[in-house]
Amino acid sequence: MRSIKVSGDDFYPAEMHPRLINQVQLPSMRRVAPAAGLGWVVTEPATMTVSLFDHDLRPMARTAVPLDNPQVEASATHGFLAVGDRHEIAVLDHAGTLRWRSTWDRVAGRAPDRKVSFHLDGNDILWIRLADTRELMAVYAPTGDEIHRVPVPGPEAAWFLHRPTDAWTGLALLQPDPSPGALISLTDGRIAVRALSGLDLAGFNPAGDRYLTMTLDGFLSVRDIDTEAILANRHIDDMVDIPPDVAGWRLTDWAVFVTDELILISVVSTDLPDDAEEHLLLSARSLRCRSRLRYPGQHAPGSIYGAERQGRWLTRHHHDNVLRLWHLANPLDDEPLPGQIALL
């Protein structure tokens, strides 16, 4: 971590140089997502395969997709893999053995006209959000048996967010409709939905007691998951201690908790292409800028993805089909040492 001298022996941490843990190159990549209790799942449309990786980005399985459409979505756990396109869904084990397969009209009771979102949680529950009927379904993944379904009104576009600490999963519904995110779970065979304040749910901290929201116009908020109280709220233009040369840049769609106390965001200049990102570390308590990430060598920042383990994240550059797993090289203390500039 490079530092800028302030006065005497005091230093202000200006740049963080993360440590590369592992990297892997794939023939093609379309979607990267957390795999509950395992690591990550990656879809490869050019080869019609799905790859599974553990928390250290080591290959666990590579499975051919038994579907016809290369625009496939995937979700996985330590035991199962779910793959789906606009027409059907299938669940396999890690050895590639097909457990069941069904067209969407059989699952949903009708043929959907729009994209269907789904997610496998750590309890082998397959969550399905049907855009046409605005319903949420819980299906037992190993057999395909429906457990329960409830109406969930709101926009068509929806996505799920993995929360590693307990049985609750995040459900986000896209703006502009006034539809907050939610926590969903299965209790005694019935779906429970708990709405969360704030729009555009972005994720949870590793301990699971706080959540992050962000808006398309540049606001970030950290909230307590029990009380929904706002712990920190800032617009990207009002970030304190942000590097001067990135002031006025806009947020991309990427913001994740790296630790319970640090949030990693991606920003891009309005005058540069979207693959010219910069990554900044923010305090999760105040959303002040704590550090700027400088990746070693010629590694471009790229898109970011959260990890279940503290201090880790993935990057994926848009042009090289390489996933890289990073770790914070040095901790950033929550409180400044005597004589230091207050970083929070």
Side-chain angles (χ1 to χ4, degrees):
M1 179 172 65
R2 188 172 70 86
S3 300
I4 296 176
K5 192 170 184 178
V6 178
S7 64
D9 295 326
D10 302 324
F11 292 83
Y12 174 78
E15 293 182 357
M16 171 72 74
H17 295 261
R19 177 169 58 89
L20 180 64
I21 297 176
N22 202 357
Q23 66 180 20
V24 61
Q25 186 170 25
L26 299 173
S28 64
M29 278 187 281
R30 178 174 180 266
R31 185 172 184 269
V32 180
L38 176 69
W40 294 274
V41 55
V42 182
T43 61
E44 303 175 56
T47 57
M48 287 299 289
T49 57
V50 173
S51 291
L52 301 177
F53 298 92
D54 69 6
H55 295 295
D56 295 319
L57 201 59
R58 295 175 299 196
M60 299 297 291
R62 193 162 186 260
T63 303
V65 176
L67 304 177
D68 299 325
N69 191 332
Q71 302 299 312
V72 66
E73 301 292 333
S75 185
T77 65
H78 59 283
F80 295 98
L81 167 66
V83 293
D85 58 20
R86 294 184 64 89
H87 306 291
E88 57 184 330
I89 187 169
V91 171
L92 308 91
D93 61 25
H94 285 193
T97 303
L98 183 67
R99 302 298 295 262
W100 59 272
R101 179 177 181 174
S102 177
T103 57
W104 281 120
D105 58 347
R106 291 180 60 190
V107 173
R110 57 178 290 184
D113 295 327
R114 301 171 181 85
K115 177 183 174 182
V116 178
S117 301
F118 60 91
H119 171 75
L120 268 174
D121 72 13
N123 294 319
D124 294 330
I125 301 301
L126 177 64
W127 295 99
I128 301 172
R129 199 316 177 106
L130 303 170
D132 286 347
T133 61
R134 308 300 202 272
E135 289 179 305
L136 177 67
M137 294 177 58
V139 173
Y140 186 52
T143 63
D145 294 329
E146 179 178 340
I147 302 171
H148 191 218
R149 71 170 70 191
V150 295
V152 176
E156 296 172 5
W159 62 96
F160 297 90
L161 296 110
H162 173 54
R163 183 167 176 255
T165 53
D166 58 25
W168 291 90
T169 294
L171 173 63
L173 300 171
L174 188 66
Q175 289 189 42
D177 290 0
S179 302
L183 288 173
I184 59 174
S185 69
L186 198 65
T187 303
D188 296 328
R190 302 189 68 80
I191 295 174
V193 179
R194 176 193 158 192
L196 293 174
S197 300
L199 300 179
D200 289 353
L201 181 65
F204 306 94
N205 67 322
D209 59 351
R210 283 172 280 173
Y211 65 100
L212 178 67
T213 65
M214 58 186 297
T215 61
L216 297 177
D217 57 358
F219 276 98
L220 284 169
S221 296
V222 180
R223 298 170 185 257
D224 182 272
I225 206 161
D226 291 327
T227 66
E228 301 180 49
I230 297 176
L231 306 178
N233 183 53
R234 287 185 189 272
H235 191 274
I236 183 64
D237 292 338
D238 299 322
M239 294 290 178
V240 179
D241 295 332
I242 200 166
D245 59 322
V246 300
W249 287 28
R250 61 179 174 85
L251 281 171
T252 68
D253 293 335
W254 310 102
V256 298
F257 275 97
V258 173
T259 71
D260 288 327
E261 301 298 336
L262 292 172
I263 292 168
L264 179 62
I265 66 169
S266 175
V267 296
V268 65
S269 170
T270 55
D271 301 324
L272 295 174
D274 284 347
D275 61 354
E277 297 103 334
E278 290 279 352
H279 292 171
L280 305 175
L281 284 170
L282 310 180
S283 164
R285 298 187 185 185
S286 65
L287 295 177
R288 294 171 68 102
C289 183
R290 298 294 309 279
S291 183
R292 181 184 201 162
L293 288 181
R294 290 296 192 192
Y295 293 92
Q298 300 300 313
H299 298 319
S303 303
I304 54 179
Y305 304 89
E308 286 189 16
R309 294 186 177 177
Q310 293 263 10
R312 293 185 174 191
W313 68 98
L314 284 183
T315 62
R316 168 198 171 190
H317 196 261
H318 302 293
H319 303 301
D320 61 10
N321 284 328
V322 175
L323 285 175
R324 296 182 176 93
L325 176 62
W326 302 93
H327 193 279
L328 293 179
N330 302 93
L332 290 177
D333 295 332
D334 293 335
E335 299 295 340
L337 295 173
Q340 281 187 317
I341 292 176
L343 302 180
L344 294 173

